[in-house]
Amino acid sequence: VVDDTDYSGTYAIVAYRSIEALYYYLTNVETTTSTKRLTAVAAGNALPEDGVTVNGNKLWKVAKSGSTYTVQSVASSKYVAWVSGNSAIMSDEGIVFNLEENEGTFHFVYTGSEKARYLSLNDTKGNDYFAMYEGTISDLYLIPATEGEEAVPELTGITVNATKTTFTVGEDFAFAGT
């Protein structure tokens, strides 16, 4: 890792695709397109803010051991593992990464092969998915996240501005000021 900072915690992992100017969440759902791929779900043009609330299948636990990291699904408690250079599977054992950080963007680097492989977003065969590649690096963002549905407005109080608030039995209701 580039420094002693501990980046472990619960995150939504987001990638940026420059050709479409879109962000994508890394999900932990094995899809019907291919059971070995973790598909990327469009998150929109705006990068989510820290503390974003997301569904459980977009949450990942990034755990540090020494100077290396593993990425584990919060929902299934399984690790994400990349094999054959371009396919992602859920595994009981995780691949260990180095994590490089540069001004808020991150690169997961697997150095278990002769050449370092980077976690990137690709669209091989028309399907968006995350994979390990040599060479081109996609910017990844670790967004501190909590599990749940989309944020819902919370009622914090009620204010009454009516000019008349007290009525006797049988008196007509007055709407003035409401």
Side-chain angles (χ1 to χ4, degrees), residues 29-39 127:
V29 174
E30 295 183 272
T31 68
T32 55
T33 302
S34 170
T35 57
K36 291 187 177 182
R37 291 183 182 172
L38 301 184
T39 59
N127 297 297

Side-chain angles (χ1 to χ4, degrees), residues 15-17 19-20 24 37-40 82 85-87 118-133 136-138 140:
Y16 175 69
R17 172 177 283 177
I19 59 173
E20 295 175 335
Y24 296 83
R37 291 183 182 172
L38 301 184
T39 59
W82 279 269
N86 64 0
S87 59
Y118 299 89
L119 179 60
S120 299
L121 177 65
N122 192 33
D123 63 350
T124 298
K125 298 181 181 178
N127 297 297
D128 299 325
Y129 65 97
F130 287 83
M132 298 300 297
Y133 290 98
T136 304
I137 303 172
S138 295
L140 295 173

Side-chain angles (χ1 to χ4, degrees), residues 99-112:
L99 186 61
E100 297 178 354
E101 187 271 344
N102 180 22
E103 297 183 356
T105 63
F106 296 82
H107 300 137
F108 286 93
V109 186
Y110 173 60
T111 56

Side-chain angles (χ1 to χ4, degrees), residues 14-95:
V14 182
Y16 175 69
R17 172 177 283 177
S18 58
I19 59 173
E20 295 175 335
L22 287 175
Y23 292 95
Y24 296 83
Y25 285 107
L26 173 60
T27 71
N28 56 41
V29 174
E30 295 183 272
T31 68
T32 55
T33 302
S34 170
T35 57
K36 291 187 177 182
R37 291 183 182 172
L38 301 184
T39 59
V41 178
N45 291 308
L47 178 65
E49 299 293 333
D50 286 357
V52 65
T53 300
V54 297
N55 295 333
N57 67 351
K58 297 176 184 175
L59 290 180
W60 296 91
K61 182 168 74 175
V62 178
K64 182 179 183 181
S65 176
S67 61
T68 59
Y69 291 84
T70 54
V71 182
Q72 182 182 28
S73 163
V74 170
S76 69
S77 298
K78 287 199 171 188
Y79 292 94
V80 60
W82 279 269
V83 296
S84 303
N86 64 0
S87 59
I89 60 173
M90 300 302 292
S91 171
D92 291 325
E93 297 182 5
I95 288 181

